[in-house]
Amino acid sequence: MNTTIRHGAVVAATAGVLGALATHGAAAAAQPKAAATAYTCRNGAVSVSDAAGSAAPTARKPNVPLYATLRLHNTENTALTKASYVFAIGNLMKNRGPAPHVRWRVGKGSWHTMALHWNSKTNGTLPLWNSSALAVDTIPARGTVTAEISVSFPKKSVKAVDYDFLDVHSGACGSARLDWYTGNGFSYWPWTGTPGKPA
């Protein structure tokens, strides 16, 4: 079931953090062009969007798979080679809880299990579960590649909205960030239990 999340206190608490992330993204936009390539390696060279619009999927019990279909669009006139992204997820109340179970695939390819590690300083500020770099390969000039993600929450997960982020890079662009995308989130919200506590 898809629903738009409106858990007042949780959403209000995220505003300052997301504002800080946007500021960080603007600062990263000053990245120089990568050497020996016609591709402009800048924040915004890849634009990520969610095919579901602003709806966030919600699980009312553990181990229910929730899905997001993300579109990675190359805004440049040159194909982007060796594209990849790092996926991060967590609640912004900073309550760790067990790692969610996450799978991913590109297009209609095979599903893969995403190995997550705890990063206490994701993007310099947020404690989140992070993946390693996940290969997307080449995104054609002005073209789009689809990345599908499946998230499920094990028992005793924290009752919360878990926000997700994509950090897009390419081997052709070195350390330049091509997009920092704040997703709609995945909500683990059983009918009973206290928000911010294991449920």
Side-chain angles (χ1 to χ4, degrees):
M1 176 177 73
N2 284 351
T3 181
T4 301
I5 303 303
R6 291 289 184 269
H7 304 304
V10 176
V11 175
T14 67
V17 176
L18 299 184
L21 295 179
T23 300
H24 179 88
Q31 296 279 357
K33 279 188 178 181
T37 179
Y39 198 86
T40 304
C41 297
R42 58 181 176 82
N43 193 314
V46 174
S47 175
V48 181
S49 60
D50 193 318
S54 61
T58 298
R60 301 293 183 184
K61 57 185 180 179
N63 301 313
V64 174
L66 305 173
Y67 294 91
T69 301
L70 304 178
R71 296 176 293 207
L72 285 69
H73 178 69
N74 180 2
T75 68
E76 295 288 323
N77 292 319
T78 305
L80 175 62
T81 60
K82 301 178 182 177
S84 65
Y85 69 90
V86 172
F87 178 77
I89 186 169
N91 66 77
L92 301 187
M93 292 176 286
K94 303 182 181 181
N95 294 339
R96 181 170 175 171
H101 301 144
V102 184
R103 297 190 309 144
W104 67 286
R105 67 177 179 175
V106 176
K108 296 299 180 183
S110 300
W111 285 98
H112 307 281
T113 297
M114 191 183 296
L116 298 177
H117 63 275
W118 182 251
N119 184 348
S120 63
K121 295 183 179 180
T122 305
N123 203 45
T125 57
L126 290 173
L128 298 171
W129 294 102
N130 284 205
S131 74
S132 57
L134 307 172
V136 177
D137 295 326
T138 298
I139 307 178
R142 298 288 176 178
T144 301
V145 168
T146 298
E148 194 169 6
I149 295 170
S150 168
V151 175
S152 59
F153 297 97
K155 291 181 179 179
K156 303 300 182 183
S157 291
V158 174
K159 181 174 180 175
V161 180
D162 274 32
Y163 288 90
D164 62 299
F165 306 88
L166 254 65
D167 196 1
V168 183
H169 292 271
S170 166
C173 289
S175 61
R177 171 179 281 172
L178 305 180
D179 194 21
W180 170 255
Y181 171 74
T182 303
N184 294 329
F186 298 86
S187 178
Y188 179 62
W189 207 266
W191 296 114
T192 60
T194 303
K197 302 292 183 182

